[in-house]
Structure formats: structure tokens, C-alpha cells
Amino acid sequence: EIVLTQSPATLSLSPGERATLSCRASQSVDNYLAWYQQKPGQAPRLLIYDASNRAAGIPARFSGSGSGTDFTLTISSLEPEDFAAYYCQQRTNSMYTFGQGTRLEIK
Amino acid sequence: VQLLESGGGLVQPGGSLRLSCAASGFTFSSSAMSWVRQAPGKGLEWVSGIGGSGGSTYYAGSVKGRFTISRDNSKNTLSLEMNRLRVEDTAIYYCAKKRSTGDTCGFDIWGQGTLVTVSS
């Protein structure tokens, strides 16, 4: 099973700052990596698919990069509504795993 | 475009439960689907997936042999039969749609979730 490790576990930033979230895979997943945002009491929301493609309706301040084992989600300038939990997800042979999550909190 | 789960509830350890997910607003029969769960206060865990035709099914190691995923394309419904339930199966269960056919990673549509509690 491919393990995804997200860092940091918690990130404390202020609105307007840049956020950089990391996701590392235990072995190569090519570009089959997605990022999700989840707010309390809500279902996850797809942000980025296939490592670097923004999903429909996602603001341009969200961007994804990486391939193989190292991936990054960048939020260029934090808005108040961006403070939430973020998860990465990989797909290999039609099986999936998620990272343990990064909690983005207001400093 | 919507997914609506049902069937959650309280069940004793060792018991069984069947979850359903009603799909609308998209071509269900062309869409691979999955179940994802989230234990209270914890992260996301992929549980099971199924191809559009229903001919291919996949399971996480933690549920293999106990859970069965299925679909009825004539009724636009996804199901998860859960047997030999354990306390650690307690979670919100979400159904989710793979964003497109082919080689891609991402679930673009999620239901609101249904809570399964396994407790004596």
C-alpha cells in the first residue's frame, strides 16, 4: 500500500499570506494525485486533480505541482474561507489512499 | 448533480448494515464510484470502489472480506453491504464520484455522508 505523508500537520498563517502544503508518497504515483479541502461538518471538496489541474470553480489562488513522490499545494494569498483541513489522495491500480491531512489555522 | 446517502445508524459489533447512495444529475452508468469514510475527529479513508459497469470492484485491506460494494445502474444507486462490523468501523461514510473515465485521480462529487456507529 502506498503511504502518503503530509506536512506540516498544522500550519498557522494569517490572511494574505502564502501557504505551502506538502504531500510525499512512499513510492511513485506518477501524477495521479489530488488535493481536497474539508471544512467542519462538510464533505471534502476537490481542489486539484492529476497533481496540477484545478477542478471546476476553484479559484486561481490554489495551485498544485509535483510528480512522482513529492507534491505541493500552494495557496498564493490566503482568504478567510481557506482556513480548513487539506488532504492529498493518490490512485494506483484503481486503489486509493489519503494522506493524514494538514490543518490550516488562523494565526 | 447530487449524491444522497442513506442507511446509517447504530449497530452492535458483529452486526450488519447496508448503505445506499442515490445519484442524480449525471450519467451514473459511466461513472466509477467509491465509498470513503471518516472516523470521528480523524482523516479520510478510502473504503471501496467500483467501475461503471459494476464488473470491477476494489477494497481497502481493512474491509476486504467483510464489505461488498455493488451498484444498480437501472436505479442510479450505489450500495455498500457491511458485515461483521467492528467498533473501528464507526465513521461517517461518504459516496463519491470519480471525476472522469480513464487515468485520472480525483473525486469531484461527494454526498453529505451517513453516520455508522458500531457500539454495544
Side-chain angles (χ1 to χ4, degrees):
Chain A
E1 176 184 297
I2 294 178
V3 176
L4 296 179
T5 302
Q6 291 188 240
S7 61
T10 303
L11 185 58
S12 300
L13 293 170
S14 300
E17 290 193 293
R18 181 184 187 90
T20 303
L21 287 66
S22 175
C23 177
R24 176 164 290 178
S26 59
Q27 61 190 79
S28 176
V29 298
D30 293 326
N31 68 331
Y32 297 129
L33 191 108
W35 289 93
Y36 297 86
Q37 177 192 71
Q38 188 181 33
K39 297 180 180 179
Q42 295 185 16
R45 173 193 182 197
L46 178 65
L47 299 175
I48 302 289
Y49 65 91
D50 298 344
S52 60
N53 299 283
R54 267 190 308 277
I58 301 303
R61 64 181 181 273
F62 291 91
S63 63
S65 63
S67 67
T69 60
D70 290 300
F71 300 87
T72 301
L73 174 70
T74 302
I75 310 172
S76 59
S77 179
L78 286 165
E79 297 287 342
E81 61 268 27
D82 297 337
F83 293 91
Y86 291 83
Y87 296 92
C88 57
Q89 176 201 34
Q90 68 82 29
R91 169 184 168 264
T92 301
N93 295 328
S94 298
M95 308 273 288
Y96 299 87
T97 53
F98 288 90
Q100 84 282 9
T102 290
R103 187 167 71 100
L104 179 56
E105 64 175 26
I106 299 177
K107 187 174 183 180
Chain B
V1 179
Q2 185 174 270
L3 296 170
L4 189 62
E5 302 94 337
S6 61
L10 175 64
V11 61
Q12 292 189 337
S16 298
L17 209 57
R18 184 179 181 91
L19 305 183
S20 295
C21 173
S24 61
F26 62 95
T27 307
F28 182 71
S29 60
S30 299
S31 301
M33 301 292 295
S34 281
W35 289 95
V36 176
R37 69 185 180 184
Q38 187 168 36
K42 302 299 183 182
L44 302 171
E45 180 186 15
W46 177 80
V47 172
S48 181
I50 187 168
S53 67
S56 299
T57 58
Y58 310 90
Y59 299 93
S62 58
V63 306
K64 195 169 187 178
R66 299 188 299 123
F67 290 11
T68 302
I69 191 171
S70 62
R71 65 192 297 159
D72 184 339
N73 286 343
S74 69
K75 296 182 179 178
N76 286 359
T77 300
L78 176 73
S79 297
L80 185 69
E81 183 75 32
M82 303 186 295
N83 297 316
R84 304 201 312 270
L85 282 161
R86 304 167 180 167
V87 171
E88 54 266 33
D89 294 320
T90 294
I92 296 173
Y93 284 73
Y94 296 99
C95 64
K97 169 189 165 292
K98 186 184 171 196
R99 59 169 291 278
S100 75
T101 58
D103 286 337
T104 184
C105 180
F107 297 161
D108 61 346
I109 306 297
W110 294 67
Q112 86 293 346
T114 187
L115 177 62
V116 172
T117 302
V118 185
S119 175
S120 54

